[in-house]
Amino acid sequence: MKLWLLLRKPGDKLWEPWYDKAFGFVIRAEDEAGARSLAVSECGDERGAAWGPDHSTCEELSADGGEEIVMRDFASA
């Protein structure tokens, strides 16, 4: 299995207003299609279409690279 990082595309209107929505996922799946499918099954009010390639990014994660924060999903009111 692989790890996938799914994030919304900046500025996409599907995430307005910002509440009751998922803004990102780290998912273990065999491929990108499987990762997107799992995101759709656990999304919020942004609805499943938001996790398609037109509205979100999906990047395979690896253990290579330097120390970094992979994902911080934060919203301030």
Side-chain angles (χ1 to χ4, degrees):
M1 291 287 185
K2 300 173 183 175
L3 283 178
W4 300 89
L5 174 64
L6 284 85
L7 297 171
R8 71 182 180 108
K9 288 185 177 176
D12 195 301
K13 301 298 183 199
L14 288 177
W15 277 268
E16 293 179 8
W18 56 268
Y19 52 83
D20 296 333
K21 296 177 175 77
F23 283 82
F25 292 93
V26 176
I27 295 176
R28 183 179 294 116
E30 196 65 38
D31 55 23
E32 180 177 337
R36 288 186 181 279
S37 178
L38 285 169
V40 167
S41 72
E42 294 295 325
C43 68
D45 285 349
E46 75 278 12
R47 305 288 181 231
W51 296 104
D54 291 340
H55 302 285
S56 64
T57 61
C58 185
E59 173 187 350
E60 183 180 349
L61 295 176
S62 75
D64 296 336
E67 190 173 276
E68 66 178 324
I69 295 172
V70 173
M71 183 176 165
R72 179 179 187 240
D73 189 1
F74 176 81
S76 178

